[in-house]
Amino acid sequence: MSFLLGATLVAVTMAMACALPGVFVVLRKNSMLVDGIGHAVLPGIVIGYAITQDLGSPWLILGAALAGLVVVLGNEYLTRTGLLAGDSPQGLVFPALFSIGVIMVTADFANIHLDTHAVLVGDLNLASFQQLTIEAPGRSPNLDLGPVYLYVMLAVLLVNVAFLAAFYRQLKLTTFDPQFARTLGIRSGALNTGFMFLVSITVTAAFNGAGAILVIALIVAPPATAYLLTDRLPVMIGLTVGIAGAGAVGGFWAAYAANAATSAGMSVFYGVVFLLVLAATRAARARRRRSSLQRTTGTRPTTPEQALIG
Amino acid sequence: MSDVLGALMGPGAFFDDHTFRMAFFGTAVIGLVAGALGSFAYLRKQSLISDVISHSALPGTLGAFLLAVVVLEVDGRNMAVLMLGAVVAGTLAVGLAQYVTRATKLSIDAAMAITLSLFFGAGMLLMRIISNGAYPGKGGIQDYLFGNASVITKADLIASISVGTAALVLMVVFWKEITLRTFDPDHSTVLGFHARAIDALMFITIVIAIVIGVKAVGLVLMVAFVVTPPSAARQWTRTLPAMVVLSGIIGGLGSGLGAYLSIAVGGVPTGPLIVLTLFAFLVLSLLLAPGRSLITRARGRTRHRRILLRQLVAEREAHIEPQGSTTLPGAGQS
Amino acid sequence: MIACQTSGLSVAYHTEPVLRNVDFSVSAGAVMGIVGPNGAGKSTLIKAMLGLVTPLTGTSEFFGQSLSRVRQRVGYMPQFTSVDWDFPTTVRDVVLMGTYGRLGWLRRPGRAEKETAATAMAQTGITDLARRQIGELSGGQRQRVFLARALAQEPDLFFMDEPFQGIDAKSQRAIVSVLHRLRQAGKTVVIVHHDLATVQDFCTHVTLLNQTVVSCGPVDEAFTSEHLRHAYRVGDTEQGFFEPDNSRGPRVEVAP
């Protein structure tokens, strides 16, 4: 497999693995919590590396994801105390965890050599560098199966698909109407923790390729864009996967052509697509409203409410 | 522990050193301004907008740098130009996040997340362009990511103090309008204040508070300077003026203390240590503040519940004997 | 037969007691109105029975069993829904959610479930709204959607919390007709209601509640002027307080 093809496949797989749980992240209004998780996994990764000495180890990913869960549970606890207003609980825990991570990195704890740059934006090309090869009998060059990282992200994607398939109705119910879900006997607390753990795993796995900050773009932007286009959940999921895949290819090649960091290119690409879709839907709605008003009354609305009815 | 304390540098030696003095006062000013103005973001329940602002300061600063070097052909390290770029980008980011929330069914958190990643992604692209090109004065660009308090110059300090003072003056001058809008947005509109103008004013002061800190503290950790001091100060205070003042004090004191510790211990980056110091202030406030303390509250609640439970059991025993039916008279309890 | 009962139920929000030692039971086939002044703990009673609020003391049983065993037979229509109105879902989909409880894991709603949902929508008069996004509806229409969702659950016992609060006349008529249909079908309904004047229109039984149970039983026994004054803490000398019109007799037959 050529390096470029391998890296493109990694980008697409990573984008889909992130965007899929992102649908529920956006609908549950947890988008900025992902920002917190993205930072909080840093100390988890450093400690995990100290134990496993392998940044791609699944144990490291699971362990580091626990650090992300600290942000989720810490946020829930601080919110429940009722002592803090608004979204501040989300902004209190993760900077402290990230600080611990940065101190550990600079103190050369565990001899981990993370480029500070890469912590924030990752390096997809570097992550895709290590190739999975299998010695095939009777073939002189070993069988090249593409980047190892591709299989890591593929595994995460499959886990996400399996989780969403198994808990689709429960997730939908607890997101749409948590109280009703509880009367049906759904344990929304456990479901929420499980789901956020999965998000945390996804973030950790994508950390190498996308870094702490740009992983937010991968998780939030495609579903948010899809949300502008539909009010049907299954359609939204389909659109999300489509936008994530197309954006990954587009962003990857744009970044490649501009010789820029892949994840930065992807996140700008997603952002621009979002803004274009936003502008298009606004324009379409304004046009619809104007034409239907002319049809029904032939006059301009006098109040915003009338405009809405039209 | 005693080893660490023994290794600490005394305050005398600390303040004799120019770099250390700059680091101490520079971060203290940042903490003070961000803490005081962060109170309004906290009370508007939009603390995380500070994270969006600090990340958007990157493309703002780098864009201004490129503009200065390539188009205007002036020194790219000109503090005023860089700050102006960051303020413009930060204000644009806030505006975009608010617009997306208003114009779509997306909630503010998703709008923030998209704005943050779009601006930061653009910043990283600009950073790549700058580091690939041969631009004079491009050194130190990396500092914006994680901050570097040891590069604070006297000129930086003077710039922070003057711009920070300007932001605080704006806050005092428009105190009445900002407070009203924060407490009861609809009422302020009914009274005839232009809502968006006040919002813009308020967010610009917060943008300024953040922009002066980014280079020293780093854009990633700036959020803690805006969120943590007000969260801690709120536990001890009941009025807005008291909260703003205490939040400023906590921010300034915590930042100075953190900077001192980082230099005195040595080899520990300043920004993260300040964040941990502020976090310690918060934990202490949550545990110890009178009336709201988590410890005394939990104890009081357990005690009250136990008393109530005893009462209820006694009531039940008194009624179950004569009645024993599904109808219980309510007169006995009230 | 008893559809649901609770004994010694006490609930406190923080340290403030809302319900004190409430004993309460509803026989199968009854339409039980829960009536009382603001802050009497009417909604809290329902929520505590359904496990949405953790009680300080007391236990509840449904059809002689714990709630977790008979969840499918118990439906609930809340006063204030915790619904996200922007959620990308249609009216039909929301009504179909009522059948989710009885579908186990992984099974998707099939034809039977869709028919149940369609019937529920027809009964509440929202069939023509089926393809609308849930946020596009008026208050009364939303209320009917949640009633339809509860109907699609096909429970034997319904809890309704102030279903008539702030809705239009058409929705009100639709809900009353559903109530009558449920009673004819032998279902049990527990309904929190604040309008004393209409209690006798559709309730067979009444519980007067003010932190404790003041009276509980068939309408003509429990819904008396004396009990009402007691529940609302109104002195005997005060004039103009609501007098139930017991002379006209119950307008609905008390279920056996």
Side-chain angles (χ1 to χ4, degrees):
Chain A
M1 194 183 292
S2 83
F3 179 77
L4 220 50
L5 178 64
T8 314
L9 281 178
V10 168
V12 172
T13 317
M14 184 171 74
M16 287 183 178
C18 288
L20 209 51
V23 171
F24 284 100
V25 168
V26 168
L27 291 176
R28 288 165 167 251
K29 309 187 190 341
N30 279 338
S31 302
M32 285 305 276
L33 207 49
V34 174
D35 179 40
I37 293 173
H39 291 92
V41 294
L42 181 62
I45 287 173
V46 178
I47 294 173
Y49 184 75
I51 299 166
T52 61
Q53 296 290 321
D54 173 15
L55 274 177
S57 153
W59 297 112
L60 176 135
I61 291 175
L62 280 178
L66 287 176
L69 209 53
V70 171
V71 174
V72 176
L73 299 177
N75 172 46
E76 267 170 30
Y77 172 74
L78 288 175
T79 308
R80 227 183 13 248
T81 64
L83 295 175
L84 298 158
D87 57 6
S88 63
Q90 287 183 45
L92 291 168
V93 182
F94 84 81
L97 283 170
F98 189 73
S99 296
I100 293 172
V102 172
I103 290 175
M104 286 197 292
V105 171
T106 48
D108 257 346
F109 179 80
N111 293 324
I112 188 169
H113 295 295
L114 281 176
D115 178 12
T116 49
H117 218 99
V119 169
L120 297 183
V121 285
D123 192 331
L124 192 86
N125 295 336
L126 194 66
S128 313
F129 200 71
Q130 195 190 355
Q131 301 285 311
L132 184 69
T133 51
I134 289 179
E135 286 181 39
R139 291 180 60 164
S140 60
N142 290 341
L143 193 56
D144 179 12
L145 294 174
V148 174
Y149 192 54
L150 175 62
Y151 293 93
V152 174
M153 287 319 301
L154 209 54
V156 174
L157 176 62
L158 287 179
V159 170
N160 282 345
V161 169
F163 185 91
L164 289 188
F167 291 102
Y168 177 72
R169 281 207 306 268
Q170 282 88 340
L171 277 170
K172 185 166 120 187
L173 274 178
T174 51
T175 310
F176 172 63
D177 188 348
Q179 190 174 253
F180 178 64
R182 277 180 69 191
T183 64
L184 288 186
I186 294 172
R187 294 179 54 206
S188 50
L191 185 69
N192 187 46
T193 307
F195 176 68
M196 289 316 282
F197 186 57
L198 195 71
V199 171
S200 201
I201 288 173
T202 311
V203 168
T204 317
F207 193 88
N208 275 344
I213 297 172
L214 296 178
V215 72
I216 311 167
L218 300 184
I219 290 185
V220 177
T225 312
Y227 194 29
L228 298 180
L229 291 167
T230 179
D231 48 22
R232 306 281 188 279
L233 184 56
V235 180
M236 182 177 165
I237 293 174
L239 280 174
T240 298
V241 173
I243 293 169
V249 175
F252 180 84
W253 284 95
Y256 186 77
N259 186 24
T262 313
S263 57
M266 278 166 76
S267 84
V268 171
F269 199 88
Y270 281 132
V272 171
V273 168
F274 173 81
L275 291 181
L276 289 177
V277 170
L278 174 61
T281 51
R282 294 287 289 173
R285 203 196 308 169
R287 183 150 12 97
R288 250 200 330 272
R289 193 177 296 169
R290 252 198 322 275
S291 67
S292 78
L293 258 176
Q294 274 162 4
R295 220 179 21 254
T296 52
T297 62
T299 53
R300 295 181 60 77
T302 47
T303 66
E305 284 73 24
Q306 283 176 333
L308 281 175
I309 293 162
Chain B
M1 192 66 200
S2 62
D3 286 356
V4 175
L5 284 179
L8 278 179
M9 182 189 286
F14 179 86
F15 282 108
D16 280 344
D17 187 298
H18 174 77
T19 313
F20 296 171
R21 231 175 20 235
M22 285 301 120
F24 179 85
F25 288 113
T27 51
V29 168
I30 293 163
L32 179 104
V33 178
L37 292 167
S39 302
F40 292 100
Y42 175 87
L43 292 172
R44 277 296 283 278
K45 307 194 191 320
Q46 290 188 11
S47 294
L48 292 178
I49 197 74
S50 57
D51 207 29
V52 179
I53 296 171
S54 63
H55 285 82
S56 61
L58 183 69
T61 309
L62 300 184
F65 174 85
L66 276 179
L67 199 70
V69 174
V70 178
V71 182
L72 306 176
E73 298 188 350
V74 297
D75 184 6
R77 275 169 304 187
N78 186 322
M79 212 36 199
V81 175
L82 296 186
M83 270 195 188
L84 193 66
V87 169
V88 169
T91 312
L92 275 177
V94 175
L96 178 62
Q98 306 281 358
Y99 170 75
V100 169
T101 318
R102 243 194 343 265
T104 72
K105 53 194 171 177
L106 284 168
S107 53
I108 181 77
D109 64 300
M112 285 180 181
I114 289 178
T115 310
L116 186 156
S117 58
L118 172 63
F119 275 76
F120 185 72
M124 292 313 294
L125 290 183
L126 286 176
M127 188 175 263
R128 177 63 68 101
I129 292 173
I130 292 174
S131 58
N132 284 351
Y135 301 103
K138 71 175 184 179
I141 287 289
Q142 288 273 354
D143 287 342
Y144 285 92
L145 293 178
F146 291 101
N148 189 347
S150 64
V151 297
I152 298 178
T153 62
K154 200 161 191 177
D156 288 338
L157 183 62
I158 291 169
S160 313
I161 291 176
S162 42
V163 178
T165 310
L168 290 175
V169 167
L170 270 181
M171 173 190 81
V172 173
V173 170
F174 293 99
W175 180 270
K176 182 187 81 221
E177 287 77 11
I178 294 180
T179 327
L180 186 63
R181 173 96 181 120
T182 307
F183 174 65
D184 188 345
D186 291 340
H187 187 219
S188 101
T189 312
V190 171
L191 289 185
F193 291 104
H194 196 290
R196 289 207 197 148
I198 302 174
D199 279 1
L201 198 76
M202 189 191 87
F203 282 118
I204 284 174
T205 60
I206 296 174
V207 169
I208 292 174
I210 289 168
V211 164
I212 61 175
V214 165
K215 194 181 168 196
V217 185
L219 57 87
V220 182
L221 294 175
M222 204 51 219
V223 59
F225 284 70
V226 183
V227 181
T228 319
S231 302
R234 175 64 187 90
Q235 310 310 321
W236 306 89
T237 54
R238 289 164 172 276
T239 66
L240 184 60
M243 177 178 166
V244 172
V245 170
L246 184 62
S247 180
I249 292 173
I250 291 178
L253 215 67
S255 303
L257 185 64
Y260 169 72
L261 285 176
S262 97
I263 292 164
V265 173
V268 188
T270 316
L273 211 56
I274 294 177
V275 171
L276 292 179
T277 311
L278 291 175
F279 191 73
F281 274 54
L282 171 79
V283 172
L284 289 177
S285 302
L286 288 175
L287 292 180
L288 301 178
R292 294 167 71 101
S293 152
L294 286 175
I295 301 173
T296 55
R297 239 180 31 168
R299 261 208 230 128
R301 186 172 298 176
T302 320
R303 204 181 56 235
H304 273 108
R305 288 206 153 212
R306 212 179 298 132
I307 294 169
L308 187 64
L309 205 61
R310 264 205 302 274
Q311 250 176 28
L312 289 167
V313 170
E315 273 172 26
R316 183 157 186 80
E317 277 166 0
H319 284 293
I320 208 112
E321 296 298 324
Q323 296 285 335
S325 74
T326 54
T327 305
L328 278 174
Q333 287 93 46
S334 52
Chain C
M1 189 187 147
I2 304 279
C4 67
Q5 67 172 345
T6 182
S7 59
L9 192 75
S10 305
V11 179
Y13 285 126
H14 299 307
T15 55
E16 204 55 44
V18 184
L19 291 176
R20 291 169 160 266
N21 288 318
V22 167
D23 293 279
F24 171 75
S25 78
V26 183
S27 47
V31 177
M32 168 67 84
I34 300 180
V35 180
N38 286 333
K42 303 184 294 276
S43 299
T44 308
L45 172 60
I46 293 186
K47 286 186 185 163
M49 289 179 76
L50 293 174
L52 296 171
V53 169
T54 314
L56 203 57
T57 64
T59 54
S60 301
E61 274 186 359
F62 300 82
F63 307 104
Q65 287 175 301
S66 71
L67 179 62
S68 56
R69 289 173 165 270
V70 286
R71 248 180 226 289
Q72 300 325 318
R73 298 178 65 188
V74 181
Y76 172 53
M77 190 180 150
Q79 179 184 10
F80 301 110
T81 55
S82 49
V83 160
D84 172 7
W85 297 110
D86 280 331
F87 196 87
T89 192
T90 57
V91 167
R92 183 203 306 277
D93 209 27
V94 173
V95 176
L96 205 54
M97 284 180 195
T99 66
Y100 278 14
R102 97 178 77 111
L103 293 167
W105 278 62
L106 295 174
R107 244 186 72 209
R108 295 169 56 78
R111 185 185 293 168
E113 283 75 25
K114 282 175 184 157
E115 268 168 23
T116 311
T119 314
M121 286 194 286
Q123 285 179 4
T124 48
I126 52 168
T127 306
D128 49 333
L129 303 175
R131 299 187 65 80
R132 294 265 206 101
Q133 197 265 335
I134 186 75
E136 298 167 3
L137 306 183
S138 74
Q141 290 170 333
R142 288 176 181 185
Q143 198 73 326
R144 280 188 275 159
V145 171
F146 292 112
L147 181 61
R149 183 176 70 178
L151 289 173
Q153 205 180 330
E154 297 185 319
D156 297 317
L157 170 60
F158 282 86
F159 285 90
M160 298 183 188
D161 197 348
E162 299 266 15
F164 300 109
Q165 188 87 32
I167 62 171
D168 54 297
K170 190 183 172 198
S171 300
Q172 189 157 350
R173 276 196 304 278
I175 296 176
V176 169
S177 98
V178 167
L179 276 173
H180 284 291
R181 199 194 301 266
L182 288 175
R183 207 185 64 243
Q184 277 157 15
K187 308 281 187 186
T188 315
V189 181
V190 178
I191 181 166
V192 171
H193 195 55
H194 72 283
D195 183 8
L196 296 176
T198 54
V199 165
Q200 288 157 304
D201 288 352
F202 46 79
C203 293
T204 61
H205 292 64
V206 161
T207 298
L208 287 181
L209 190 75
N210 193 352
Q211 293 205 357
T212 59
V213 173
V214 174
S215 69
C216 177
V219 172
D220 49 350
E221 288 172 27
F223 199 63
T224 64
S225 150
E226 185 202 343
H227 285 314
L228 278 167
R229 282 170 182 276
H230 194 166
Y232 284 78
R233 310 249 161 95
V234 180
D236 290 334
T237 52
E238 276 177 63
Q239 294 298 308
F241 188 68
F242 178 77
E243 292 285 343
D245 181 8
N246 284 338
S247 61
R248 65 187 177 183
R251 272 175 256 172
V252 291
E253 307 89 60
V254 176

